[in-house]
């Protein structure tokens, strides 16, 4: 048979196309959620042997004996390591340019609460961004303590309150849900109300402040949107290897919300508890570490890169998280993908940097991907730092029974059920916050 060069080229083209499709299929299969989940280890007996770094021994092998040494030497070196090698540095300073109360009312939740919706605006050069804080404050409390946390599905998803404004960022992120026949669909209003026990908070004298996380940085591997580009120099297109990934960006946003809360007369800014679920739980922890104005921190099912120990390589690992979500952490963190042994730190030291402030870590029994065992041990191994401050941590090393919280300034529970935020979780957080924050 005879082929002209054209034939050969087209045969080559077909071959190349076929190879590309196969490659695509292979990558898709390798990283498809089902396969990624099944690749993970869920067998306690297969957890590799590892030595956990002691939070009270410095990188130069000095024993840390008191709060002064912790605060002067050890905490700063840990903070520096996690900043440059995991979450990423914030490349500059940016303050709220202006804030604007978009809406308020005092008839929310059958007259139990005041509602306030505040738009924060940030401007720098040609860049401008807004994000909206939705607040519910208990009536009859002069300055309310509150929970501050991001939501995944838009402010309007947290309660079926017709007054909650739907943000344009949420509409852009959810084109199919946001607009039908040129009108906002109401189908997602209150859709996640089950994750926010707002009435219970109000009854206990707490308020809630929440923000749609996609307004601060849309959750995709795209470095041209959100707040990151505000800091690019010259023709920079993405953060440098040591600069902030999305978790650090979102944590930064919580601090800016705190800047606003400090100015709100109806809020007790000394009693703001930062809360987050899952990737937003990782965010709450990192925000709590970096901003000591937060009076307490709650991590709900935060897993890998949050409360769970990385060196256990149980459930989601550094490699898996860096592959599925390459934009969450800084590029330097990829040095530890499949290389946990090389890490001179682990996540218990993130928790330790929250000391002496109250901390609540929670897991779910069916959420093995987030490694409940590793989340619990992380709290245990952070506890010596709490002890240094004379604050009781968690000393028992065996996992508590399901639905049996270990309460104290450092608290932990594993509840039955899946990766989620439930009524049970909030009942415990509120009980704990009443005792240790309010
Ligand atoms: C998972 C991810 C987890 C967790 C979770 C979430 O897919 O692997 O690290 O953050 O998403 O945020 O819902």
């Amino acid at each position: 048979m005879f082929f002209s060069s054209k034939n050969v080229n087209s045969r080559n083209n077909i071959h190349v196309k076929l190879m590309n499709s196969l490659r695509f299929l292979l990558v898709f299969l390798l990283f498809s959620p089902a396969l990624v989940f099944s690749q993970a280890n869920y067998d306690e007996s297969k957890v590799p042997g590892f030595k956990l770094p002691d939070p009270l021994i410095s990188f130069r092998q000095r024993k840390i004996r008191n709060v002064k040494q912790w605060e002067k030497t050890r905490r700063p070196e840990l903070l520096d390591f996690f900043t440059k090698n995991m979450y990423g540095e914030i490349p500059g300073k940016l303050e709220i340019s202006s804030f604007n109360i978009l809406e308020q009312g005092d008839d929310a939740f059958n007259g139990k609460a005041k509602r306030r919706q505040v738009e924060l605006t940030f401007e720098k050069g040609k860049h401008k961004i807004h994000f909206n804080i939705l607040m519910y404050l208990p009536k009859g409390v002069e300055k309310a303590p509150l929970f501050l946390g991001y939501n995944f599905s838009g402010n309007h998803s947290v309660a079926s309150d017709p007054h909650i404004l739907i943000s344009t960022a949420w509409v852009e992120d959810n084109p199919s849900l946001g607009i039908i026949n040129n009108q906002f669909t109401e189908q997602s209003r209150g859709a996640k109300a089950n994750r926010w026990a707002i009435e219970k908070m109000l009854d206990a004298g707490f308020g809630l402040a929440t923000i749609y996380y996609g307004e601060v940085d849309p959750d995709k591997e795209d470095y041209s949107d959100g707040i990151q580009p505000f800091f690019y120099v010259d023709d920079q297109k993405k953060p440098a290897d040591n600069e902030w990934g999305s978790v650090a960006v979102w944590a930064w946003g919580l601090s800016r919300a705190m800047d606003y809360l400090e100015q709100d007369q109806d809020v007790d800014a000394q009693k703001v508890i930062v809360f987050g679920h899952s990737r937003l739980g990782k965010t709450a922890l990192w925000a709590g570490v970096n901003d000591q104005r937060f009076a307490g921190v709650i991590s709900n099912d935060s897993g890998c890169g949050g409360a769970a120990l990385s060196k256990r390589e149980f459930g989601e690992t550094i490699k898996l998280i860096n592959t599925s979500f390459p934009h969450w952490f800084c590029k330097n963190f990829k040095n530890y993908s499949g290389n946990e042994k090389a890490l001179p730190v682990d996540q218990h030291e993130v928790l330790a940097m929250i000391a002496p402030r109250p901390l609540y870590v929670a897991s779910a029994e069916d959420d093995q991907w987030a490694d409940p065992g590793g989340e619990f041990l992380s709290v245990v191994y952070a506890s010596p730092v709490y002890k240094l401050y004379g604050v009781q941590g968690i000393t028992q090393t065996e996992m508590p029974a399901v639905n049996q919280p270990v309460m104290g300034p450092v608290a932990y529970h594993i509840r039955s059920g899946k990766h989620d935020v439930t009524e049970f979780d909030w009942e415990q957080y509120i009980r704990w916050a009443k005792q240790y924050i309010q």
Side-chain angles (χ1 to χ4, degrees):
M1 191 141 172
F2 177 80
F3 291 103
S4 72
S5 65
K6 199 173 157 223
N7 278 345
V8 173
N9 277 342
S10 74
R11 244 171 58 110
N12 280 347
N13 278 344
I14 291 170
H15 183 74
V16 167
K17 277 190 186 146
L18 198 74
M19 287 310 286
N20 279 344
S21 311
L22 278 174
R23 213 171 284 138
F24 177 77
L25 192 71
L26 197 72
V27 170
F28 176 78
L29 285 176
L30 271 175
F31 296 112
S32 80
L35 203 83
V36 166
F37 273 89
S38 65
Q39 274 174 354
N41 172 43
Y42 300 108
D43 181 347
E44 206 54 58
S45 72
K46 295 205 177 105
V47 167
F50 62 89
K51 191 167 179 306
L52 217 52
D54 184 338
L56 294 179
I57 294 185
S58 76
F59 289 142
R60 293 167 63 199
Q61 299 305 309
R62 297 248 163 85
K63 176 88 191 127
I64 303 302
R65 295 178 202 281
N66 52 48
V67 168
K68 198 168 160 219
Q69 289 171 352
W70 165 256
E71 289 183 355
K72 259 197 100 189
T73 312
R74 183 61 172 151
R75 190 182 188 281
E77 71 174 16
L78 284 171
L79 185 58
D80 188 63
F81 185 88
F82 280 104
T83 303
K84 291 181 175 149
N85 297 285
M86 184 170 177
Y87 299 95
E89 294 186 64
I90 302 175
K93 224 174 145 40
L94 184 66
E95 284 166 12
I96 304 172
S97 308
S98 61
F99 67 82
N100 184 14
I101 298 188
L102 297 178
E103 190 273 346
Q104 56 187 340
D106 63 359
D107 55 351
F109 288 93
N110 297 320
K112 271 186 195 172
K114 294 188 247 185
R115 179 190 52 252
R116 184 165 299 150
Q117 300 186 71
V118 187
E119 177 189 64
L120 306 189
T121 300
F122 298 85
E123 281 183 86
K124 194 171 181 240
K126 60 180 187 333
H127 301 285
K128 189 171 185 167
I129 212 173
H130 309 280
F131 55 88
N132 290 349
I133 311 179
L134 164 68
M135 297 164 71
Y136 287 108
L137 300 168
K139 282 215 250 172
V141 179
E142 212 187 305
K143 276 182 165 289
L146 54 79
F147 297 100
L148 165 68
Y150 282 117
N151 61 74
F152 280 94
S153 311
N155 289 353
H156 64 288
S157 71
V158 311
S160 48
D161 175 344
H163 298 281
I164 308 177
L165 303 164
I166 298 183
S167 82
T168 37
W170 178 82
V171 175
E172 276 162 24
D173 289 352
N174 300 277
S176 58
L177 288 175
I179 303 175
I180 292 176
N181 296 334
N182 295 322
Q183 288 199 319
F184 289 124
T185 170
E186 288 295 307
Q187 69 196 25
S188 51
R189 191 176 290 281
K192 295 284 178 197
N194 58 315
R195 284 193 169 180
W196 300 90
I198 302 176
E199 268 198 89
K200 289 209 158 95
M201 298 177 204
L202 295 168
D203 290 341
F206 285 90
L208 170 70
T210 186
I211 303 161
Y212 171 52
Y213 82 132
E215 283 191 316
V216 183
D217 183 26
D219 192 357
K220 42 189 193 265
E221 196 192 2
D222 175 345
Y223 305 97
S224 68
D225 51 14
I227 211 88
Q228 283 156 324
F230 282 57
F231 297 96
Y232 291 164
V233 216
D234 303 329
D235 56 355
Q236 190 178 349
K237 296 270 182 310
K238 56 179 182 174
D241 296 0
N242 61 325
E243 285 176 354
W244 55 356
S246 294
V247 170
V249 177
W250 296 322
W252 173 91
L254 291 171
S255 286
R256 301 296 68 81
M258 185 62 171
D259 295 344
Y260 165 75
L261 294 173
E262 285 188 318
Q263 302 179 46
D264 190 312
Q265 295 300 312
D266 294 331
V267 172
D268 184 347
Q270 309 285 320
K271 293 181 182 156
V272 175
I273 303 154
V274 64
F275 157 86
H277 167 60
S278 206
R279 68 200 70 180
L280 302 177
K282 310 180 207 300
T283 300
L285 289 170
W286 189 237
V289 166
N290 282 282
D291 193 334
Q292 306 208 27
R293 292 174 298 172
F294 292 120
V297 182
I298 302 171
S299 150
N300 191 92
D301 306 356
S302 62
C304 179
L309 294 174
S310 300
K311 288 179 187 282
R312 276 170 49 82
E313 298 177 43
F314 189 104
E316 189 174 31
T317 60
I318 295 178
K319 184 173 176 189
L320 293 172
I321 206 167
N322 278 337
T323 308
S324 311
F325 307 101
H327 56 294
W328 282 2
F329 300 97
C330 75
K331 192 153 173 250
N332 282 342
F333 194 43
K334 302 207 168 57
N335 297 333
Y336 299 98
S337 290
N339 192 18
E340 283 82 355
K341 285 197 172 47
L343 257 184
V345 296
D346 211 330
Q347 296 305 109
H348 61 306
E349 292 167 316
V350 168
L351 304 187
M353 285 190 278
I354 293 164
R357 291 162 295 154
L359 166 71
Y360 201 129
V361 173
S363 316
E365 194 181 15
D366 300 338
D367 186 16
Q368 294 298 312
W369 178 244
D371 187 15
E375 295 194 306
F376 172 67
L377 286 177
S378 199
V379 184
V380 173
Y381 291 116
S383 292
V385 177
Y386 276 87
K387 193 169 169 213
L388 216 56
Y389 283 95
V391 176
Q392 188 200 327
I394 291 183
T395 45
Q396 71 180 71
T397 48
E398 70 287 354
M399 186 84 169
V402 172
N403 299 331
Q404 300 291 320
V406 183
M407 272 290 170
V410 179
Y412 176 85
H413 74 240
I414 175 165
R415 67 155 166 78
S416 47
K418 64 179 173 55
H419 186 70
D420 202 354
V421 196
T422 68
E423 199 88 4
F424 176 88
D425 293 321
W426 276 112
E427 281 163 8
Q428 314 318 313
Y429 302 150
I430 292 168
R431 185 155 69 95
W432 165 83
K434 273 184 88 117
Q435 191 160 355
Y436 299 104
I437 309 271
Q438 199 176 36

